[in-house]
Amino acid sequence: MNPRQACPCGSGKRYKACHGAPGGAVDLSGTRPFEGLAAECELVALREFVPSATVRLPLDATRTVTLGTVLPLASAALVRATEDEEAFIGLQVQTRSENISRDVAASITWALEAKPGDVLSLAPSTEQRLQDLIPADAVLEPVVHENFNWWLAPDTEPSGDVALSLERANEAIMPTHRVGPAAYWTLAGDKAYLRWVRPESEEQLMAAMARLSAAGGLTLGEGSKYAGSFRAHGLLVPVFDLDADPHAREWEKPAAELGDRLAEALSTVADKPLTSDERRSRDGLVGRQVTIR
C-alpha cells in the first residue's frame, strides 16, 4: 500500500511510520503463534496495537511474571531490583524471530532464573512456546494504563536512558480503553477507532459480517461506521470508525450488542447459504482487507 496513507491498523499514523516501518512488515498472516490458547486474541491485540497494558501470567513459579505491551528501551524482559523481584516480559520488541510465542517463552524462562536488576535485550532461541508454560484455558484480562509509569517500582524515580524512554513513551501514548474481550477503543487525535481481534476463521467471520452488513447490522450504532479489517498473526481484526465525542465506556454496550449479533450470524453461516445481497456485501468487505503481519 501507499506508505503515506494511514496505517490500516487504526493507529492514526502513516503506514510507513507504523506497520510499514523497517522490521514491521514481516508477513506472518498465515501463522497463528498463540493458537490453542484461550487468550490468543488478547495476546494478538497486546502485540499489535494496544499501547500500554499489563497482565499477570498464570505460571507455576515462585517469581511473579507480568506480561507487558512494551518495556523500557523495547527490552524483551527485565527483573525488578525490588524485594518482590517481579519479572516483566515485553511483547512489542525491536527484534524478534518468526515465532513470537517462542520469543515470549524464552523470555519467561530467562526471567525466572535472572538476578534482580537484570535486563534481557533479545530473547534467546528455544523450542518451547508460551502454550507450554500457561494453561490453554487461561483467560487473560489485561489492565490498560494511561501511561507507562508501571515501568517503575513504587517510589522509584527514573534516570538515564529509562527516564528519557519513559518521557517519550508517555508523550506519544494514545488514550485506549478495553471495551470487551480483545476489543479496544483508541483515540488518535480527533478520531476514535474500535479494533476487535476475532477468533473465528476468516471465511466464517466474513460470511457472518456480510450477513450483518446486508441487514444494516454491521455497526455500533449512531456515530460509528465499519472501516475495514486487517489480518494479524492469522486472525482477522475488524476496525470501526467512531465518533470521538462519547466516552470510551459508552461504546461497551454497543460492542457487546454487536458481538451478540455476530454470534447469531455465525451460528447460521454453516447451514444457510448467503443470499445474493449478502454475497455482494461480502465482496465489498473483502475489498477492504489488508495484511499487516
Side-chain angles (χ1 to χ4, degrees):
M1 68 180 289
N2 186 334
R4 293 183 177 275
Q5 291 181 343
C7 187
C9 76
S11 67
K13 301 179 182 179
R14 291 182 177 182
Y15 179 67
K16 70 176 183 178
C18 191
H19 285 92
V26 178
D27 184 2
L28 300 177
S29 59
T31 65
R32 293 172 57 181
F34 302 117
E35 186 174 13
L37 292 175
E40 179 184 14
C41 294
E42 293 289 356
L43 291 166
V44 170
L46 296 181
R47 173 62 182 84
E48 287 305 314
F49 56 79
V50 178
S52 180
T54 56
V55 61
R56 186 73 54 82
L57 290 178
L59 297 170
D60 184 15
T62 57
R63 176 175 284 171
T64 298
V65 178
T66 296
L67 188 68
T69 48
V70 62
L71 301 182
L73 307 179
S75 301
L78 61 83
V79 178
R80 279 182 176 170
T82 55
E83 184 176 353
D84 62 4
E85 299 182 8
E86 185 174 2
F88 286 81
I89 309 299
L91 266 175
Q92 300 174 23
V93 295
Q94 291 184 338
T95 304
R96 62 183 183 275
S97 73
E98 292 187 354
N99 192 308
I100 301 170
S101 182
R102 287 178 179 164
D103 293 344
V104 173
S107 296
I108 292 172
T109 301
W110 174 90
L112 293 176
E113 301 295 332
K115 298 177 182 179
D118 284 353
V119 177
L120 178 68
S121 298
L122 176 64
S125 177
T126 184
E127 291 301 316
Q128 274 192 315
R129 302 178 303 158
L130 182 59
Q131 289 89 328
D132 300 319
L133 300 180
I134 67 173
D137 59 355
V139 176
L140 302 184
E141 296 191 6
V143 176
V144 179
H145 304 276
E146 62 182 15
N147 53 45
F148 289 94
N149 293 348
W150 55 269
W151 283 356
L152 305 173
D155 302 320
T156 301
E157 290 294 327
S159 61
D161 290 341
V162 172
L164 181 60
S165 182
L166 179 61
E167 181 181 0
R168 289 176 175 173
N170 282 343
E171 288 177 351
I173 197 170
M174 292 184 293
T176 299
H177 182 77
R178 186 174 181 263
V179 300
Y184 291 84
W185 171 96
T186 298
L187 183 65
D190 59 353
K191 296 182 178 180
Y193 303 93
L194 175 72
R195 289 169 284 190
W196 195 343
V197 185
R198 300 294 306 185
E200 298 86 10
S201 72
E202 182 171 328
E203 181 180 2
Q204 287 183 323
L205 182 59
M206 291 304 295
M209 290 171 60
R211 185 151 282 166
L212 289 185
S213 179
L218 188 60
T219 174
L220 282 85
E222 184 178 356
S224 72
K225 180 179 67 173
Y226 176 74
S229 61
F230 63 91
R231 303 178 188 91
H233 306 294
L235 297 179
L236 200 62
V237 187
V239 181
F240 295 84
D241 290 335
L242 304 177
D243 187 337
D245 290 334
H247 191 279
R249 293 188 182 90
E250 295 182 49
W251 295 106
E252 292 178 357
K253 182 179 179 181
E257 292 171 346
L258 174 57
D260 290 341
R261 292 196 299 274
L262 265 177
E264 183 177 356
L266 282 162
S267 69
T268 68
V269 296
D271 303 319
K272 184 180 178 182
L274 296 182
T275 66
S276 57
D277 286 344
E278 290 169 346
R279 289 196 297 271
R280 282 193 293 270
S281 292
R282 182 185 58 189
D283 292 341
L285 297 178
V286 170
R288 285 187 277 177
Q289 286 180 303
V290 296
T291 298
I292 60 172
R293 292 196 195 278

